[in-house]
Amino acid sequence: MTAFPDVSKIAYEGPDSKNPLAFRWYNEEEVVEGRTMKDHFRFSVVYWHTFRGTGADPFGPGTMQRPWDDGTDSLENAVRRVRVAFEFMEKLGAPFYAFHDRDVAPEGKTLADTNRNLDAVVAVLKEEQQRTGIALLWGTANLFSNPRYVHGAATSCNSDAFAFAAAQVKKCLEVTLELGGANYVFWGGREGYQNLYNTDMRRELDHLGAFLHMAVDYAKSIGFRGQFLIEPKPKEPTKHQYDSDAAACINFLRAYDLLGHFKLNIETNHATLAGHTMMHELEYAGIQGVLGSIDANTGDLLLGWDTDQFPTDYYLTTQCMLSILKFGGLSPGGVNFDAKVRRESFEPIDLFHAHIGGMDAFARGLKIAAAIRAHGELASLLKQRYASWDRGIGEIIESGKADFKTLAVYMLDKGDIAPNTSGRQEMLEHLINRYL
Ligand code: XLS
Ligand code: NI
Ligand code: NI
């Protein structure tokens, strides 16, 4: 069986190609800054949007044509979907994928049935991984779709929901280990609140901290060495998600003594929902030493929700790659397309167009960022801007040898500060355009 009979392996044809089913920039063997593109990006396809997305929105049902899918939640259908997924990823040339437990296998009547279903599908995933060499970037547990999680999972007011979530994450860690997953992700799902009148925030956060400690301990006990990642998001589905942005996550991890065990998985559309740019979130995570991986997508700034569109904007991908290169890359994380084709793009071939466009946009962004870095102009302007810290009083302050008294003596003697220089905002924005 083949699900994509008209598509052969997507090839790199170079910038002049007019073939939409070819890469113009992503050349997996090409070396940039000492690393192949394949290793820079570690591109990953998500199971949930790409193989489970229906195109439904609040105003109408699904539109996606997926001829291999019989519309049932049977195990047989789930297994057929695995074969299609690997055919797709193989033809695309994506080295990784990511899934939630419930994307790949149906829930049964009891937790035991559900675990058995998962085991059955995981055996097929493993077989396909071995056949193709495609690897698991990360696994995660869906702790938000089933109505039992209506009030959250680890932060639910119902302690049984916490216990069920623990059992579910335990199993998901086991299968992620079984499949050699490089990371394990915790996105908050419904961990947040709609209303503070009915919320004991202190208790909920304590429970979340305890839950993550249990996960760390269990992973250690089974020998799972993948990187744990938290994925910040400010809102949706709840009004306020506890992991609202990189800074909030880092504060939470530090407060609950978890910082050594986690890094962050930064998602573009979540950054913009938080009122930040993606580059802001990457820089903040990077300077704190917790930049782990990215969920690559983009929002629509005219729509105020998580539309998870595929990224095609070179400014965005250039900014991402400037930060990622600066902090030494993402591995063992990667560039995971947590993105979906829009409702109007309902044919199977659109899945190829979407991913090729995203991969090319990142490859182009990498080349632009590398050119900016190689030229060194931006770096030297930055260095120049902070030159007052490399000598004189700046150097004394940075070395920790100043205090309020000595600084007052210095300023009383000097009378006023050295004149400020221009920030050159427009010049810098214009400078970046030279490389695009
Ligand atoms: C939802 C999140 C989700 C995570 C995985 O907004 O992006 O898809 O990446 O649970
Ligand atoms: Ni995501
Ligand atoms: Ni998202």
Side-chain angles (χ1 to χ4, degrees):
M1 186 198 77
T2 156
F4 308 99
D6 306 328
V7 183
S8 41
K9 177 102 187 6
I10 307 299
Y12 168 71
E13 292 184 4
D16 295 332
S17 173
K18 300 275 183 289
N19 176 6
L21 291 176
F23 294 117
R24 295 192 300 124
W25 298 102
Y26 180 61
N27 178 8
E28 60 174 29
E29 297 310 328
E30 185 175 335
V31 174
V32 178
E33 290 201 14
R35 218 181 271 178
T36 62
M37 285 198 180
K38 190 174 178 184
D39 290 342
H40 271 291
F41 297 119
R42 297 162 60 81
F43 282 128
S44 161
V45 171
V46 303
Y47 216 92
W48 52 101
H49 289 312
T50 299
F51 305 111
R52 303 308 309 274
T54 63
D57 71 9
F59 305 94
T63 55
M64 295 298 149
Q65 297 170 1
R66 302 290 182 253
W68 54 85
D69 214 310
D70 66 13
T72 70
D73 221 4
S74 72
L75 207 48
E76 193 198 342
N77 198 23
V79 167
R80 189 168 47 240
R81 218 184 268 126
V82 173
R83 307 285 183 204
V84 172
F86 277 82
E87 181 192 342
F88 174 78
M89 296 187 287
E90 217 185 351
K91 287 183 167 170
L92 180 66
F96 292 96
Y97 72 111
F99 67 76
H100 300 88
D101 47 3
R102 303 304 179 243
D103 307 331
V104 292
E107 287 204 54
K109 283 205 176 58
T110 64
L111 179 59
D113 290 341
T114 302
N115 287 348
R116 261 190 300 276
N117 288 346
L118 186 55
D119 285 334
V121 178
V122 164
V124 185
L125 288 168
K126 194 170 182 183
E127 187 187 307
E128 288 291 314
Q129 285 187 202
Q130 279 160 358
R131 181 183 70 75
T132 59
I134 293 167
L136 181 63
L137 187 68
W138 47 265
T140 190
N142 177 329
L143 305 177
F144 44 90
S145 294
N146 191 296
R148 75 172 61 88
Y149 296 127
V150 63
H151 299 304
T155 66
S156 175
C157 48
N158 179 348
S159 54
D160 265 2
F162 182 108
F164 199 104
Q168 199 179 323
V169 171
K170 172 180 177 289
K171 180 69 183 170
C172 197
L173 281 167
E174 291 160 11
V175 309
T176 302
L177 172 67
E178 166 82 9
L179 293 171
N183 305 268
Y184 186 89
V185 166
F186 293 87
W187 165 59
R190 293 181 194 274
E191 315 293 25
Y193 62 80
Q194 302 287 14
N195 186 326
L196 282 171
Y197 296 137
N198 70 5
T199 302
D200 187 334
M201 198 193 298
R202 177 64 202 244
R203 229 167 159 180
E204 293 200 0
L205 289 173
D206 284 353
H207 296 162
L208 184 57
F211 189 89
L212 295 177
H213 272 289
M214 290 182 202
V216 167
D217 291 345
Y218 188 68
K220 196 167 169 211
S221 78
I222 61 172
F224 177 72
R225 291 192 216 299
Q227 175 67 52
F228 271 7
L229 299 166
I230 297 220
E231 183 177 320
K233 184 175 183 179
K235 54 188 164 193
E236 197 194 296
T238 67
K239 178 225 277 300
H240 175 86
Q241 302 272 122
Y242 290 133
D243 297 330
S244 51
D245 63 4
C249 285
I250 292 166
N251 179 60
F252 170 83
L253 290 170
R254 214 187 296 274
Y256 286 91
D257 200 18
L258 286 159
L259 201 50
H261 303 287
F262 286 82
K263 288 190 172 179
L264 301 184
N265 181 39
I266 304 289
E267 177 165 324
T268 322
N269 206 163
H270 298 179
T272 49
L273 284 174
H276 305 310
T277 61
M278 179 62 165
M279 196 178 187
H280 165 91
E281 288 290 85
L282 293 171
E283 291 283 317
Y284 198 85
I287 58 175
Q288 302 275 356
V290 294
L291 175 56
S293 197
I294 70 169
D295 268 10
N297 61 20
T298 187
D300 183 325
L301 295 179
L302 299 182
L303 298 173
W305 38 298
D306 197 13
T307 54
D308 287 343
Q309 291 162 213
F310 277 84
T312 50
D313 181 341
Y314 289 167
Y315 282 103
L316 170 65
T317 57
T318 298
Q319 290 178 0
C320 288
M321 293 318 298
L322 277 172
S323 293
I324 290 168
L325 291 174
K326 173 169 160 186
F327 295 109
L330 293 171
S331 180
V335 175
N336 179 54
F337 287 112
D338 190 357
K340 61 187 173 210
V341 289
R342 278 160 281 179
R343 193 168 186 267
E344 301 81 2
S345 306
F346 45 73
E347 293 176 17
I349 194 73
D350 289 307
L351 295 173
F352 279 98
H353 292 309
H355 285 85
I356 291 168
M359 289 159 85
D360 256 357
F362 265 89
R364 184 80 183 101
L366 169 65
K367 299 202 72 156
I368 296 166
I372 292 170
R373 283 160 56 85
H375 195 282
E377 207 174 351
L378 196 59
S380 78
L381 285 165
L382 188 67
K383 178 129 183 63
Q384 217 177 296
R385 185 158 191 249
Y386 290 87
S388 76
W389 292 92
D390 297 329
R391 52 171 191 261
I393 197 69
E395 196 185 1
I396 294 169
I397 298 170
E398 277 199 352
S399 68
K401 287 188 204 116
D403 59 24
F404 273 13
K405 276 196 223 155
T406 57
L407 291 176
V409 168
Y410 165 78
M411 226 357 114
L412 285 168
D413 181 47
K414 190 163 181 180
D416 205 348
I417 70 166
N420 279 311
T421 52
S422 168
R424 299 268 185 267
Q425 323 261 94
E426 294 75 13
M427 188 200 86
L428 290 168
E429 284 156 5
H430 183 51
L431 182 154
I432 297 290
N433 280 353
R434 281 215 319 261
Y435 296 87
L436 258 91

